[in-house]
PDB file of all heavy atoms in Angstrom:
ATOM      1  N   GLU A 244     -41.438  -0.355 -13.967  1.00 92.00           N
ATOM      2  CA  GLU A 244     -40.181  -0.575 -14.693  1.00 92.00           C
ATOM      3  C   GLU A 244     -39.076  -0.871 -13.674  1.00 92.00           C
ATOM      4  O   GLU A 244     -39.207  -0.554 -12.496  1.00 92.00           O
ATOM      5  CB  GLU A 244     -39.785   0.713 -15.415  1.00 92.00           C
ATOM      6  CG  GLU A 244     -40.826   1.324 -16.278  1.00 92.00           C
ATOM      7  CD  GLU A 244     -40.618   2.861 -16.306  1.00 92.00           C
ATOM      8  OE1 GLU A 244     -39.613   3.280 -16.814  1.00 92.00           O
ATOM      9  OE2 GLU A 244     -41.512   3.597 -15.829  1.00 92.00           O
ATOM     10  N   PRO A 245     -37.938  -1.452 -14.162  1.00 91.00           N
ATOM     11  CA  PRO A 245     -36.802  -1.538 -13.256  1.00 91.00           C
ATOM     12  C   PRO A 245     -36.408  -0.146 -12.829  1.00 91.00           C
ATOM     13  O   PRO A 245     -36.395   0.767 -13.615  1.00 91.00           O
ATOM     14  CB  PRO A 245     -35.685  -2.128 -14.166  1.00 91.00           C
ATOM     15  CG  PRO A 245     -36.399  -2.619 -15.395  1.00 91.00           C
ATOM     16  CD  PRO A 245     -37.685  -1.875 -15.530  1.00 91.00           C
ATOM     17  N   ASP A 246     -36.075   0.054 -11.554  1.00 91.00           N
ATOM     18  CA  ASP A 246     -35.754   1.307 -10.963  1.00 91.00           C
ATOM     19  C   ASP A 246     -36.776   2.414 -11.350  1.00 91.00           C
ATOM     20  O   ASP A 246     -36.421   3.435 -11.907  1.00 91.00           O
ATOM     21  CB  ASP A 246     -34.324   1.711 -11.313  1.00 91.00           C
ATOM     22  CG  ASP A 246     -33.717   2.602 -10.198  1.00 91.00           C
ATOM     23  OD1 ASP A 246     -34.446   2.918  -9.228  1.00 91.00           O
ATOM     24  OD2 ASP A 246     -32.582   3.035 -10.328  1.00 91.00           O
ATOM     25  N   ALA A 247     -38.012   2.106 -11.083  1.00 94.00           N
ATOM     26  CA  ALA A 247     -39.089   2.981 -11.537  1.00 94.00           C
ATOM     27  C   ALA A 247     -38.973   4.376 -10.933  1.00 94.00           C
ATOM     28  O   ALA A 247     -39.284   5.390 -11.619  1.00 94.00           O
ATOM     29  CB  ALA A 247     -40.445   2.362 -11.173  1.00 94.00           C
ATOM     30  N   LEU A 248     -38.563   4.479  -9.723  1.00 95.00           N
ATOM     31  CA  LEU A 248     -38.465   5.846  -9.144  1.00 95.00           C
ATOM     32  C   LEU A 248     -37.461   6.697  -9.881  1.00 95.00           C
ATOM     33  O   LEU A 248     -37.790   7.868 -10.188  1.00 95.00           O
ATOM     34  CB  LEU A 248     -38.064   5.794  -7.644  1.00 95.00           C
ATOM     35  CG  LEU A 248     -37.998   7.158  -6.984  1.00 95.00           C
ATOM     36  CD1 LEU A 248     -39.424   7.767  -6.840  1.00 95.00           C
ATOM     37  CD2 LEU A 248     -37.297   7.133  -5.638  1.00 95.00           C
ATOM     38  N   ALA A 249     -36.346   6.146 -10.239  1.00 96.00           N
ATOM     39  CA  ALA A 249     -35.303   6.934 -10.993  1.00 96.00           C
ATOM     40  C   ALA A 249     -35.868   7.397 -12.300  1.00 96.00           C
ATOM     41  O   ALA A 249     -35.709   8.539 -12.714  1.00 96.00           O
ATOM     42  CB  ALA A 249     -34.031   6.116 -11.154  1.00 96.00           C
ATOM     43  N   SER A 250     -36.613   6.506 -13.013  1.00 96.00           N
ATOM     44  CA  SER A 250     -37.085   6.925 -14.306  1.00 96.00           C
ATOM     45  C   SER A 250     -38.261   7.904 -14.148  1.00 96.00           C
ATOM     46  O   SER A 250     -38.430   8.819 -14.942  1.00 96.00           O
ATOM     47  CB  SER A 250     -37.403   5.763 -15.214  1.00 96.00           C
ATOM     48  OG  SER A 250     -38.553   5.101 -14.767  1.00 96.00           O
ATOM     49  N   ALA A 251     -39.029   7.745 -13.073  1.00 97.00           N
ATOM     50  CA  ALA A 251     -40.094   8.722 -12.821  1.00 97.00           C
ATOM     51  C   ALA A 251     -39.510  10.111 -12.486  1.00 97.00           C
ATOM     52  O   ALA A 251     -39.978  11.139 -12.984  1.00 97.00           O
ATOM     53  CB  ALA A 251     -40.982   8.246 -11.665  1.00 97.00           C
ATOM     54  N   LEU A 252     -38.398  10.113 -11.727  1.00 97.00           N
ATOM     55  CA  LEU A 252     -37.810  11.402 -11.402  1.00 97.00           C
ATOM     56  C   LEU A 252     -37.226  12.059 -12.671  1.00 97.00           C
ATOM     57  O   LEU A 252     -37.266  13.248 -12.797  1.00 97.00           O
ATOM     58  CB  LEU A 252     -36.681  11.204 -10.372  1.00 97.00           C
ATOM     59  CG  LEU A 252     -37.114  10.956  -8.921  1.00 97.00           C
ATOM     60  CD1 LEU A 252     -35.919  10.699  -8.048  1.00 97.00           C
ATOM     61  CD2 LEU A 252     -37.953  12.131  -8.402  1.00 97.00           C
ATOM     62  N   ARG A 253     -36.781  11.205 -13.572  1.00 97.00           N
ATOM     63  CA  ARG A 253     -36.290  11.754 -14.836  1.00 97.00           C
ATOM     64  C   ARG A 253     -37.458  12.423 -15.567  1.00 97.00           C
ATOM     65  O   ARG A 253     -37.321  13.514 -16.170  1.00 97.00           O
ATOM     66  CB  ARG A 253     -35.690  10.627 -15.667  1.00 97.00           C
ATOM     67  CG  ARG A 253     -34.717  11.122 -16.741  1.00 97.00           C
ATOM     68  CD  ARG A 253     -33.723   9.997 -17.155  1.00 97.00           C
ATOM     69  NE  ARG A 253     -34.384   8.730 -17.496  1.00 97.00           N
ATOM     70  CZ  ARG A 253     -34.182   7.584 -16.829  1.00 97.00           C
ATOM     71  NH1 ARG A 253     -33.281   7.498 -15.856  1.00 97.00           N
ATOM     72  NH2 ARG A 253     -34.834   6.484 -17.165  1.00 97.00           N
ATOM     73  N   ASP A 254     -38.580  11.821 -15.533  1.00 96.00           N
ATOM     74  CA  ASP A 254     -39.815  12.440 -16.167  1.00 96.00           C
ATOM     75  C   ASP A 254     -40.205  13.706 -15.429  1.00 96.00           C
ATOM     76  O   ASP A 254     -40.683  14.657 -16.041  1.00 96.00           O
ATOM     77  CB  ASP A 254     -40.973  11.425 -16.208  1.00 96.00           C
ATOM     78  CG  ASP A 254     -40.768  10.383 -17.286  1.00 96.00           C
ATOM     79  OD1 ASP A 254     -39.800  10.521 -18.038  1.00 96.00           O
ATOM     80  OD2 ASP A 254     -41.585   9.435 -17.349  1.00 96.00           O
ATOM     81  N   VAL A 255     -40.048  13.719 -14.118  1.00 97.00           N
ATOM     82  CA  VAL A 255     -40.335  14.947 -13.381  1.00 97.00           C
ATOM     83  C   VAL A 255     -39.470  16.061 -13.944  1.00 97.00           C
ATOM     84  O   VAL A 255     -39.920  17.186 -14.225  1.00 97.00           O
ATOM     85  CB  VAL A 255     -40.160  14.796 -11.877  1.00 97.00           C
ATOM     86  CG1 VAL A 255     -40.421  16.141 -11.164  1.00 97.00           C
ATOM     87  CG2 VAL A 255     -41.093  13.734 -11.296  1.00 97.00           C
ATOM     88  N   ARG A 256     -38.184  15.746 -14.102  1.00 96.00           N
ATOM     89  CA  ARG A 256     -37.273  16.787 -14.574  1.00 96.00           C
ATOM     90  C   ARG A 256     -37.555  17.199 -16.032  1.00 96.00           C
ATOM     91  O   ARG A 256     -37.564  18.383 -16.326  1.00 96.00           O
ATOM     92  CB  ARG A 256     -35.807  16.236 -14.428  1.00 96.00           C
ATOM     93  CG  ARG A 256     -34.735  17.293 -14.721  1.00 96.00           C
ATOM     94  CD  ARG A 256     -33.397  16.914 -14.103  1.00 96.00           C
ATOM     95  NE  ARG A 256     -33.130  15.502 -14.331  1.00 96.00           N
ATOM     96  CZ  ARG A 256     -32.870  14.634 -13.368  1.00 96.00           C
ATOM     97  NH1 ARG A 256     -32.823  15.002 -12.144  1.00 96.00           N
ATOM     98  NH2 ARG A 256     -32.600  13.371 -13.672  1.00 96.00           N
ATOM     99  N   GLU A 257     -37.835  16.237 -16.861  1.00 96.00           N
ATOM    100  CA  GLU A 257     -37.865  16.517 -18.262  1.00 96.00           C
ATOM    101  C   GLU A 257     -39.285  16.872 -18.778  1.00 96.00           C
ATOM    102  O   GLU A 257     -39.433  17.614 -19.741  1.00 96.00           O
ATOM    103  CB  GLU A 257     -37.337  15.327 -19.091  1.00 96.00           C
ATOM    104  CG  GLU A 257     -35.836  15.137 -18.879  1.00 96.00           C
ATOM    105  CD  GLU A 257     -35.318  13.881 -19.445  1.00 96.00           C
ATOM    106  OE1 GLU A 257     -36.075  13.175 -20.170  1.00 96.00           O
ATOM    107  OE2 GLU A 257     -34.149  13.531 -19.178  1.00 96.00           O
ATOM    108  N   LEU A 258     -40.316  16.365 -18.148  1.00 96.00           N
ATOM    109  CA  LEU A 258     -41.659  16.602 -18.621  1.00 96.00           C
ATOM    110  C   LEU A 258     -42.430  17.549 -17.733  1.00 96.00           C
ATOM    111  O   LEU A 258     -43.198  18.400 -18.193  1.00 96.00           O
ATOM    112  CB  LEU A 258     -42.468  15.289 -18.720  1.00 96.00           C
ATOM    113  CG  LEU A 258     -41.885  14.189 -19.629  1.00 96.00           C
ATOM    114  CD1 LEU A 258     -42.812  12.979 -19.562  1.00 96.00           C
ATOM    115  CD2 LEU A 258     -41.743  14.715 -21.031  1.00 96.00           C
ATOM    116  N   ILE A 259     -42.294  17.384 -16.422  1.00 96.00           N
ATOM    117  CA  ILE A 259     -43.134  18.116 -15.485  1.00 96.00           C
ATOM    118  C   ILE A 259     -42.578  19.482 -15.127  1.00 96.00           C
ATOM    119  O   ILE A 259     -43.252  20.517 -15.244  1.00 96.00           O
ATOM    120  CB  ILE A 259     -43.445  17.245 -14.236  1.00 96.00           C
ATOM    121  CG1 ILE A 259     -44.205  15.990 -14.712  1.00 96.00           C
ATOM    122  CG2 ILE A 259     -44.228  18.009 -13.194  1.00 96.00           C
ATOM    123  CD1 ILE A 259     -44.733  15.081 -13.660  1.00 96.00           C
ATOM    124  N   LEU A 260     -41.296  19.531 -14.761  1.00 95.00           N
ATOM    125  CA  LEU A 260     -40.736  20.844 -14.377  1.00 95.00           C
ATOM    126  C   LEU A 260     -40.843  21.847 -15.505  1.00 95.00           C
ATOM    127  O   LEU A 260     -41.107  23.033 -15.197  1.00 95.00           O
ATOM    128  CB  LEU A 260     -39.248  20.691 -13.960  1.00 95.00           C
ATOM    129  CG  LEU A 260     -39.034  20.133 -12.539  1.00 95.00           C
ATOM    130  CD1 LEU A 260     -37.581  20.224 -12.159  1.00 95.00           C
ATOM    131  CD2 LEU A 260     -39.883  20.886 -11.551  1.00 95.00           C
ATOM    132  N   PRO A 261     -40.693  21.512 -16.783  1.00 94.00           N
ATOM    133  CA  PRO A 261     -40.872  22.540 -17.787  1.00 94.00           C
ATOM    134  C   PRO A 261     -42.283  23.103 -17.826  1.00 94.00           C
ATOM    135  O   PRO A 261     -42.521  24.112 -18.478  1.00 94.00           O
ATOM    136  CB  PRO A 261     -40.540  21.778 -19.103  1.00 94.00           C
ATOM    137  CG  PRO A 261     -39.701  20.659 -18.707  1.00 94.00           C
ATOM    138  CD  PRO A 261     -40.175  20.226 -17.334  1.00 94.00           C
TER     139      PRO A 261
END
Side-chain angles (χ1 to χ4, degrees):
E244 308 151 63
D246 209 359
L248 181 70
S250 72
L252 286 176
R253 203 157 49 240
D254 285 352
V255 175
R256 187 159 44 237
E257 291 170 9
L258 301 180
I259 298 187
L260 283 188

